Amino acid sequence: MQPLPGFRDFLPDDCARRNYVFAKWREVARRYGFVEWDGPVLEPTELYTKKSGPEIVGQLFNFTDKGEREIAMRPELTPTLARVVAAHDRDFKKPLKWFSIPQCFRYEKQQRGRLREHFQFNADIIGEGSLDADVESIALCIDLLRGFGFGAQDVVVRVSDREFWIDFLRAQNVAEEKWQETLQIIDKSEREPRDKTAAKLGPLATPAFEILDGKGGSEKLDRVVAALRARGLADFVQIDLGIVRGLAYYSGVVFEAFDRAGKLRALAGGGRYDNLIGQLSDGAVSLPSIGFAMGDVVLGELIDEIPVAKQQMENAIASGRNLDIYIVIAKEERRADALAQIQSLRDAGFRVDYPLTPAKVGKQFQTAEQLGARVAVLFGDEWPQVRVKTLASREEQLIGNEESLAYLTSLPSLSSRAERSGVEGSRGPTDR
Ligand code: HAM
């Protein structure tokens, strides 16, 4: 039995990678003052048919439930966020800075970088219409990527403005009901031959290509780049009016993050959506908003391609996963004493493992090494003393079992466990 096409099993190594990515997302989001929230996986289909646009709606995993309700699995989080924020408008002081890590489901063709489920880090600023919020959002996107070990030589955030294109469509007398379709053509133009795009655009082709080729600037985007320059992040951004975004609700600045080599699909995407909350709440609540989402699939592909990022991940996973202490039971008569001590060591916060069934001493030491234990403690003939062996240096110390907890706590190689990054659910004091 295989998983469904586009769905993943997460074996322990995959889970460790996923936890690393989630921990980094959370850490950087908190540095920016964002707080975590979440919503339901299932929503009324109508939440998406109303405003996300045809692309997402065509990709819905949807069904009719036993109560005859039309239901969809969330393809993205933004409509849920808009619904939740409108419902709780009075409960929170604005602006909100909220982040979330939903699993999202899209019934699309499986290909490199695109699956039918993925995890998405979302960060949104709600209730702030100034360009400073746009800059803060893009800066967070860049700092997340920096957090994974990428430099400006590895990634770029391409920034554009949906409003610029709306003004263009107005100036070209394009009827409003054609805007969305035209924006989709422009959004796809980079991925298809020019003559094909030209045929779809008709008389708009020449002026649109002039803009796409860099003729025509945007004072708003220049200000965004200047503000990012002041933060030392300008090397990571590039103005590119070819970015329009597929989702229908964007209304202003939009952006997407890519690998510099241009080999992969977008790492992240987002922008300003000042009208969505108003539209979904039928005008009851209106709040300017900006945000973006970064997916785990393309991010994982890029981490594997960039050695520094890969090494950083592997180090974090190893330090988060390794055992502190392996208990070697050399004499089965000592098993009960060993188990009592294992309990105390685990209560003290150490990661401890031991052989569940009798095994040769050599085999037990081998297991200790494989599990990355720093120390092995041998329960055997020397009882009531135990033999503590630091595995890296091979140093050994015979110590009374009663004193061994205090001794192990004082070992420098074990006290460093407090410095772990929080990967794999470590309970160290740095895990705020
Ligand atoms: P999106 O561009 O549709 O935006 O998705 C954001 C990111 O999620 C993409 O750049 C990509 O990395 C990842 N992603 C999307 N679909 C898939 C897929 N099928 N397989 C793997 N990864 C995928 C949104 O979803 C907006 N709601 C983001 C947003 C938040 N805008 C404002 N706030």
Side-chain angles (χ1 to χ4, degrees):
M1 291 278 279
Q2 298 289 319
L4 289 168
F7 284 78
R8 294 169 289 178
D9 293 323
F10 288 89
L11 300 178
D13 281 350
D14 307 312
C15 257
R17 287 173 64 107
R18 186 172 86 181
N19 289 347
Y20 165 74
V21 167
F22 285 16
K24 188 62 73 187
W25 279 341
R26 289 197 165 99
E27 176 206 321
V28 180
R30 287 178 185 141
R31 267 196 249 153
Y32 269 71
F34 281 72
V35 295
E36 189 162 0
W37 75 285
D38 201 358
V41 174
L42 301 181
E43 288 278 16
T45 306
E46 195 194 357
L47 185 66
Y48 308 108
T49 50
K50 251 183 163 176
K51 278 296 152 212
S52 286
E55 198 162 303
I56 276 271
V57 170
Q59 295 171 351
L60 284 180
F61 261 98
N62 56 330
F63 59 95
T64 310
D65 77 0
K66 290 173 184 165
E68 300 298 316
R69 293 177 204 90
E70 292 304 319
I71 306 282
M73 294 177 82
R74 59 184 175 196
E76 55 156 340
L77 192 65
T78 314
T80 301
L81 174 64
R83 177 181 65 67
V84 169
V85 166
H88 297 274
D89 181 40
R90 285 156 196 264
D91 303 340
F92 299 98
K93 212 166 135 291
K94 310 295 180 308
L96 306 177
K97 291 171 91 175
W98 284 11
F99 80 92
S100 190
I101 308 180
Q103 191 174 21
C104 297
F105 304 87
R106 298 185 186 181
Y107 199 91
E108 57 182 313
K109 199 164 157 253
Q110 189 186 341
Q111 48 190 297
R112 185 159 190 221
R114 285 290 174 271
L115 301 176
R116 287 186 172 173
E117 57 70 28
H118 69 285
F119 289 92
Q120 238 194 19
F121 168 86
N122 279 249
D124 294 86
I125 304 174
I126 314 280
E128 178 53 64
S130 77
L131 207 59
D132 301 281
D134 304 46
V135 174
E136 178 81 347
S137 184
I138 297 168
L140 170 58
C141 183
I142 295 170
D143 273 336
L144 287 163
L145 295 168
R146 289 178 65 225
F148 286 103
F150 303 128
Q153 70 283 5
D154 305 315
V155 288
V156 60
V157 177
R158 292 154 70 184
V159 189
S160 177
D161 184 12
R162 193 53 96 83
E163 211 176 12
F164 179 97
W165 282 107
I166 301 283
D167 289 347
F168 166 83
L169 297 175
R170 244 194 224 110
Q172 298 286 333
N173 293 318
V174 177
E176 199 168 331
E177 57 274 15
K178 288 264 175 205
W179 287 0
Q180 190 50 39
E181 186 190 324
T182 313
L183 290 172
Q184 295 267 350
I185 298 169
I186 294 166
D187 183 54
K188 289 209 170 72
S189 65
E190 202 189 14
R191 283 166 271 154
E192 64 183 17
R194 275 244 157 149
D195 48 344
K196 197 168 169 197
T197 308
K200 288 190 205 162
L201 286 174
L204 287 180
T206 308
F209 285 145
E210 276 181 11
I211 294 168
L212 292 172
D213 291 339
K215 293 187 201 106
S218 154
E219 185 263 335
K220 194 204 274 181
L221 295 179
D222 290 341
R223 278 195 284 145
V224 169
V225 174
L228 288 165
R229 180 163 298 114
R231 297 184 187 210
L233 299 175
D235 289 350
F236 286 87
V237 282
Q238 185 186 312
I239 295 175
D240 181 347
L241 288 162
I243 300 291
V244 183
R245 304 278 296 136
L247 295 159
Y249 48 67
Y250 292 111
S251 58
V253 167
V254 284
F255 57 96
E256 283 183 345
F258 289 91
D259 62 307
R260 276 275 180 197
K263 286 199 271 182
L264 308 176
R265 306 197 54 140
L267 290 149
R272 186 161 275 290
Y273 51 101
D274 286 348
N275 310 318
L276 182 66
I277 296 175
Q279 284 163 344
L280 288 179
S281 67
D282 294 323
V285 179
S286 172
L287 288 165
S289 310
I290 175 142
F292 68 93
M294 181 179 292
D296 67 332
V297 179
V298 185
L299 180 67
E301 288 173 359
L302 190 61
I303 289 174
D304 283 337
E305 295 227 347
I306 307 289
V308 179
K310 192 165 187 194
Q311 193 60 55
Q312 177 183 310
M313 177 180 72
E314 282 170 359
N315 293 347
I317 289 175
S319 81
R321 171 185 285 171
N322 288 351
L323 269 193
D324 293 315
I325 301 165
Y326 194 82
I327 302 290
V328 174
I329 303 174
K331 277 270 171 301
E332 276 307 308
E333 304 90 275
R334 297 274 77 82
R335 183 170 282 271
D337 302 312
L339 282 168
Q341 184 65 347
I342 287 165
Q343 188 68 34
S344 315
L345 291 167
R346 286 176 173 168
D347 283 350
F350 290 112
R351 295 176 187 169
V352 188
D353 209 350
Y354 68 98
L356 284 169
T357 49
K360 294 215 169 78
V361 171
K363 193 100 190 280
Q364 294 188 49
F365 273 106
Q366 234 177 23
T367 308
E369 300 270 4
Q370 279 161 4
L371 296 176
R374 289 157 199 252
V375 165
V377 181
L378 183 137
F379 285 66
D381 285 338
E382 291 139 332
W383 185 258
Q385 288 192 305
V386 293
R387 188 167 288 275
V388 177
K389 182 167 176 183
T390 304
L391 290 172
S393 63
R394 313 261 156 213
E395 274 167 48
E396 291 192 10
Q397 174 82 30
L398 207 54
I399 189 144
N401 185 49
E402 297 281 307
E403 292 83 57
S404 65
L405 175 58
Y407 175 74
L408 288 165
T409 309
S410 74
L411 279 183
S413 63
L414 287 184
S415 55
S416 70
R417 79 198 193 293
E419 286 151 23
R420 284 193 193 119
S421 62
V423 180
E424 298 274 41
S426 130
R427 290 187 289 156
T430 52
D431 202 11
R432 269 163 288 195

